[in-house]
Amino acid sequence: MKTWLLLLAIIATNVGNILADEVDYLRDVKPILMEKCSSCHGALKQESDLRLDSGLLIQKGGASGAVIEPGRASASRIFQRVIDADPDQRMPPADGFGEPLNTEQIKLLKNWIDQGAPIPEEEPPPADPRNHWAYQAPRKQAPPGSDSENPIDRFLQMRRQPMGIRPIEQADRPTRLRRLYFDLIGLPPSADQLNSFADDDSPEAWNKLVDDLLAQPQYGERWGRHWMDVWRYSDWDGYQQELRGSQRHIWHWRDWIVKSLNDDKPYAQMIVEMLAADESAPKAPEALAATGFLARNFHKGNRDIWLDATVEHTAKAFLGMTLNCARCHDHKYDPISQKSFYEFRAIFEPHQVRTDRLPGQANIQIDGLPRAFDQDLSAQTFIYAGGDEKNPLKDIEVRPNVPSILGGQYQVQPVSLPIESWFPAFRQFVLAEERSKLKTTRIQTERKLKESAPHRIEPIHSIEYSILALEYAVASLKLHSFDSRCAAEKARLYQLKAADVTARQAAKDERKLQIKTAELALARKQLELTQAQTAEPNDVPSQQKLIDKLSKEFAALETKLNSTRTEFEKDDNQFTPLGDTYPKTSSGRRLALARWIASKHNPLTARVAVNQIWMRHFGAPLVENVFDFGLRSPVPRHAELLDWLAVEFMEHDWSMKHLHRLILTSKTWQLASTSGSEVAEKNRELDPENAFYWRADVRRLDAEIIRDNVLAVAGQLDLKLGGPDVDFKQGETSRRRSIYLRHAYEKQMRMLVLFDTANPNECYRRSESIIPQQALALVNSGLCQEQSRLLARQIWASVTGSDSQKVQGFLVSAFVRILGRDASKEEINNCLEFLDRQAVLLSNPERLTEFTHGQPAAVAPSEDPQGRARENLIHVLMNHNDFVTVR
Amino acid sequence: MNKHTKPTDPDHTRKTNRREFLENTGLGFGSLALASMLGKDRLATGDEISNNIPGPHFAPKAKSVIWLFMIGGTSHLESFDPKPALNKYAGKTIAETPFGGVLDSEFLANERVVFVDPNNGFIRKTCYPMQVGFQRRGKSGLEISDWWPHVGNCADDLCLIRSLWTEDSNHGAQLQFHTARHRVDGFFPTIGSWATYGLGSFNEDLPEFIVLGTPLADCCGGQEAHRANYLGPQYDGVPMVVDPVKSMPYITPQRGTFAEEQQQKFALLGKLNRLTAAQSRDDPMIEARIRAYELAFRMQTAVPQVVDLNRETQATRDAYGIDQQETDTFGRQMLTARRLVEKGVRFIQVYHGSNGGAGGWDSHQGLKSSHTKLCRQVDQPIGALLTDLKQRGLLDETLVVWATEFGRTPGSQSKNGRDHHPYGFTIWMAGGGIKGGVAHGATDELGFHAVENRHYVSDVHATVLHQLGLDSERLFVPGRKRLRKEIGNPIREIIA
């Protein structure tokens, strides 16, 4: 992508050089007017009855007459208005983001008018944005060709044929196998797996292999990472211990993603759960974890940033819509009004994030479930004039709604929530765990009391004994009070007749507990005081000071005890609730949104998802801008294919695995990435960019997969699934898959960052950079060097025969294990020569220059020069281009 | 339009003829035509200044930039912008002075408060006198405070810009100073990455954008203040430590590795990759990867060497204050900066004052003691840098920028400190085709608002880019909106 961006930048730069030349309306002027003017003077809106989206309409002028005087820019209203020094008069209006034309744009406009404002004779009439391809429901048209072939191949063939493009041959089996393993599970095939497939190359064997890999739990990890990019997964972010963004324990959402993919949960259901599991499945903690999608947007300091991000990325991720461009003004290109942005925001306005307790862990700092819920059903949304939060338009009512351009029904039904949801402290397991904790304490205090008999003579011992007795009494009363609070809560919840009586009892039991607690505090203080009074004085004044202080504290505690005793006489029903309660009703706004998005009638949802999946299989998407299917997104070249896949996806209950199977069993996916054939030669001329998929694209592995691959080829990868995030600083030493390393703003493993890991803030598509620091990471990281040593030793231990047979066997095996392919003769020869020379070199270490500053090796290099040469060789192969490349 | 994601490559501009490339590289390791591989200095190609690269857009004045950033907010009132009125009205409220109008100024609306910090970021209303004296320095007679004696010695090379303003009244302004966008808008390409994006490298064995000093804390932008964001990681600033042993991440081979051993490994790798390249006509990445490895190999030697200050004379080391406790750290960074300039590194960003939080210069209290200490740490090294560059004839083609995120309030905070002040503050530039001995712009009598020749931070960027031969307006990536205020305008008045 970068390269074409650069090319465009170059084209844009060139514009400067042709200023003096003839200005072309279509090429030079129209794009400026479309960008700067058409949202108010175009098909959707015609301020002052003026449209500037076609040459004829510009000539026609508006309510106040002509806007151009051909040949005289300075006398033309349109020119006067764009250069007006008064910001209130200048167009486009300075509503905060209405940026004036830049000098080059002004020059182009001026020169065009001065040159007579010529327009082409046949300018296509301006299109109505409502007719934009992506806003029409996808239609499934029958693919041409034989039904026995994969529809993907047939649609692509339909486009290739008229161009004279023919696909090249299939990739050889090891290449295809390695490609498939990395694609589906993100791990390389073992030598055995390569061999077993080599025996059977039938389509049935291939289909079975695809099924087998889709059934492996590593599929969920591999594709989970893809969707984590799109859904902006971020572990908690903060300054020291302070949480500033996302949420602690958000990894529950990550595990939900992995599991949902492994279960092939319908994508539509995934959308519903991520946006509104608290409304659709309020009792199911495993579904609630999905609302991490919302919780991830948490922003400590600023609710506007939080909700802006929620709006922007919900629209981009699921709908390929740049709703965020309508925050400050109507969308410049798409038929989305500014109000529409705030209506979408209103859907999320009531929601907040909280952390629910999970079974087995009472401390939510250690673990818990971050989740969304509706906190304030009356929260209002205001349009911010010009996007300025200091300037809310309080007179305009903003009701929750979805952009009307996509059609469909947005129907909000409030959801009444079960007790578990609005009163999480009253869940069975919480009550049981709390009670058992109190009971354990009671048993412990009882045991301690019994073990300590009151037979000592010293008065101080009798204080100690009474403390033990009070501790037991307090523990017993705590349990008792808990039980009566539970009974009272229950009676109140179910509106039992006895509600008031039980509440009074609970309140009374609490007051009893308070007395005992106060007595215990007093006894403890008395012990301290007695100890201070009877201690051998080292320093008399300071001891006296201590005694005075303790006496004062003792007196205070005595007063407190007396007041609790007085309190005891009270008779009310005010007991301490068991925990926080939340609203009993949820607005239903998000559920309505989720259902509208996940509807088969939404023209964008399936297309956007299919495009993402396609891109991650082929390296290039069908729709270039994966998060913007708006008007700047032209009809894709393979539109019929995209639509067919989108409908197929929906018809198969939104099954991603179904799409994977379709794609991976196509001939197109299995093509070679290069060929010396004449067909290829011709294709390169006709379609150098491979827009017609006549070959596979060579791709680099994703950052996480590169690190996993290092561990995997050495047989050291820990395949444990799920769980809390691993500190990113352990990336060099941990054996876990990279998906589990902490991933947040300023909290990412350096090696992954160097290899273009997802920006946790936004990453709808990864870049594939090639920079020298990547080379340094693979060359000098302890991880790579140590894993190469381990691998070299394993391979060497597995080869047999004469010395030269062993070396041969070592090399053959090394290429297969690390690069997934056989070595060529020339490669073998180079490696043999290297092994010999390196062994000689290393036999005379005293002549060599040693690096003495780096980290010491956790796995030391071999003492034997030949062994060390072999380790070097393995390390070289881990740095080979093909190690990080899929062909 | 190309449907494919293309790799980004150190040499993103030139399409080397493939056969020629293989022939060149086939000669073996170390004999490569490096210039063509590394996008060697586009300036040096003279008449080749062409349209097929983003820049330069016109003849440059400067080749390199040294960007010094004081973290926390250096007081303009005790450094480069003396305000006798503060002494005169010390202890009086601003409203009691004849200049009370500053509190009604429309400029106050430029502040964008996002995180309300209950303690800091307020307008302080009781005039606090200057804590240090000022002298007229050099032939130009620029007024510079006594805490900056060495920098003052170079007064005739300095161009003070006393009329900066920014939006963020908290330390997100640090990030804003580098991206020209408010912290809450997110992350954007930084000035150093735009410069290198526009020009590419003109050295053969070092990164083109290098960062020295401890970066910003993550409260205030963290590493994003020297990253390239959507321009791609090849334009990120590369942090480097002035220590040959650990100059860059992954730069040092494990202990016990032999140089010769490693060289042979790189050589074998090159051979194997070229064999593969010959078989892979449709792989656009392999050439770039071969080059990246060759650059990495040279960096392994070049980076530790460039930070090895034992190669400098004792006199030079002494001038920079190396081995003196207060000036040692920054002195080493300044000397390294000069060495990097000599090596042809395009952009060197140096941070000073990192303390894991808001920054050392953030003097809400005890301003006098903190500023005297911090000024002592940087003054001599900066003075030495300017003098050294000049003596070596490098100052003309090296633009030195000294900056901080905002100034400090004319009013006092906690009796002896000053609060954050985004409405008017000073930065300076030297060399690189900028006029010397000049003070441009001014704040009002209290040093409150920039009132004459006001400049938002992006004007500094546009000026730096202009001196490098780049037009800020023409630097953009289609599909990525740059706001007008991000682009800025070169400060024409200060260009020599």
Side-chain angles (χ1 to χ4, degrees), chain A residues 268-279:
Chain A
Q269 189 186 337
M270 292 169 75
I271 294 173
V272 170
E273 291 184 2
M274 283 194 282
L275 289 170
D278 59 316
E279 296 180 324

Side-chain angles (χ1 to χ4, degrees), chain B residues 13 33 62 88 115 145 183 235 246-247 282 294 341 379 386 394 420 427 449 462 494:
Chain B
T13 59
K88 184 170 171 192
F115 302 96
S145 92
R183 170 79 174 80
Y235 302 110
K246 47 177 185 192
S247 48
D282 298 294
E294 287 167 347
V341 164
D379 173 55
L386 294 174
L394 289 169
H420 312 153
I427 68 129
H449 292 293
I494 66 169

Side-chain angles (χ1 to χ4, degrees), chain A residues 178-322:
Chain A
R178 186 169 183 271
R179 193 191 290 168
L180 184 68
Y181 269 73
F182 278 121
D183 187 324
L184 276 186
I185 63 170
L187 295 172
S190 69
D192 288 347
Q193 285 159 338
L194 279 167
N195 281 333
S196 67
F197 179 66
D199 299 337
D200 184 0
D201 194 23
S202 65
E204 291 72 31
W206 181 257
N207 294 349
K208 182 171 180 308
L209 187 62
V210 169
D211 283 339
D212 288 350
L213 290 175
L214 281 172
Q216 289 194 16
Q218 285 73 37
Y219 156 76
E221 293 174 325
R222 165 62 163 155
W223 279 79
R225 187 57 254 182
H226 286 316
W227 291 108
M228 282 157 73
D229 284 15
V230 177
W231 298 332
R232 303 202 317 141
Y233 180 84
S234 168
D235 285 301
W236 77 279
D237 145 40
Y239 182 49
Q240 293 167 357
Q241 283 310 301
E242 181 196 20
L243 177 75
R244 291 196 167 176
S246 189
Q247 290 287 303
R248 287 193 171 82
H249 327 307
I250 194 118
W251 59 267
H252 288 288
W253 173 39
R254 181 241 290 140
D255 283 2
W256 174 90
I257 295 173
V258 172
K259 182 168 189 307
S260 300
L261 293 172
N262 279 330
D263 295 347
D264 201 19
K265 185 179 281 179
Y267 177 60
Q269 189 186 337
M270 292 169 75
I271 294 173
V272 170
E273 291 184 2
M274 283 194 282
L275 289 170
D278 59 316
E279 296 180 324
S280 74
K283 286 189 186 182
E286 64 283 359
L288 285 173
T291 60
F293 175 80
L294 298 170
R296 177 262 170 272
N297 294 305
F298 169 82
H299 189 286
K300 178 162 186 270
N302 190 300
R303 179 73 169 164
D304 288 319
I305 297 173
W306 177 353
L307 292 184
D308 284 351
T310 309
V311 170
E312 171 173 356
H313 297 291
T314 302
K316 280 182 174 171
F318 299 127
L319 298 168
M321 263 189 142
T322 53

